[in-house]
Amino acid sequence: MKRKAELIKISQDGKKAFYLDAKNSGEILAFLKSDPANLKKFQTTLELILNHRAPRDLYDKENFEKGCEQVTAIKLFKGKKNPRIYCQQFTDGDTERFVIIGIELLEKKKSQKLTATEKSIIRRVSKYEFDLNPKP
């Protein structure tokens, strides 16, 4: 069964769109709103991602094995609690728009290497299929 994703923002040029997984959006938004710094950093990072200017220390692939090539992470505060929002990215076949879906929150990444917990999240995120709402 496909999961639902809700449109959050489209890039100025209309070529990229960011969605949140409907099932986890409440948890992700609650975390972002829990601290004004979280929300501000997320909004700034999202602007950079949508406008093709996100540096790798803010947004990068989490491709550690075959099948996870489309999984990425938004990295909000490296060095502090190091929260991550794991995402899936792909080109929507209907509109040719590049889509990024924020799927799962990890509030605290504790090590530089990927632990079993992070690998498990990345594998899970890579398997989801989505219905985009509304369609871009």
Side-chain angles (χ1 to χ4, degrees):
M1 187 169 123
K2 288 188 174 185
R3 295 168 71 99
K4 299 229 180 279
E6 301 164 349
L7 180 63
I8 302 299
K9 190 163 182 132
I10 295 177
S11 64
Q12 292 172 345
D13 64 8
K15 293 180 179 178
K16 280 188 176 184
F18 183 82
Y19 288 77
L20 277 179
D21 174 69
K23 197 172 209 170
N24 295 326
S25 64
E27 177 190 2
I28 294 169
L29 291 172
F31 171 78
L32 294 172
K33 292 175 181 175
S34 70
D35 181 347
N38 290 350
L39 190 56
K40 185 169 176 46
K41 180 75 171 192
F42 175 74
Q43 289 170 333
T44 302
T45 302
L46 187 56
E47 282 299 318
L48 290 170
I49 291 168
L50 290 177
N51 292 303
H52 317 284
R53 296 192 319 255
R56 290 180 60 190
D57 64 327
L58 294 179
Y59 181 71
D60 199 13
K61 289 190 174 216
E62 296 288 317
N63 179 14
F64 71 96
E65 70 182 16
K66 190 167 173 40
C68 298
E69 296 88 357
Q70 77 280 19
V71 178
T72 57
I74 297 173
K75 307 167 189 177
L76 295 175
F77 291 102
K78 292 183 97 174
K80 295 183 180 179
K81 289 186 176 180
N82 203 4
R84 304 285 169 104
I85 299 173
Y86 288 98
C87 306
Q88 218 185 76
Q89 64 179 24
F90 56 89
T91 301
D92 182 46
D94 295 340
T95 62
E96 297 300 314
R97 180 175 283 153
F98 190 76
V99 172
I100 301 163
I101 304 173
I103 301 172
E104 204 160 317
L105 172 70
L106 177 67
E107 286 192 39
K108 196 175 209 171
K109 184 173 184 293
K110 297 175 183 165
S111 71
Q112 286 190 330
K113 298 210 183 277
L114 290 175
T115 65
T117 302
E118 286 114 27
K119 288 180 180 180
S120 161
I121 292 170
I122 292 165
R123 286 183 185 116
R124 186 168 53 243
V125 164
S126 75
K127 290 179 176 47
Y128 292 142
E129 291 183 25
F130 287 90
D131 277 330
L132 302 178
N133 187 17
K135 264 305 221 187

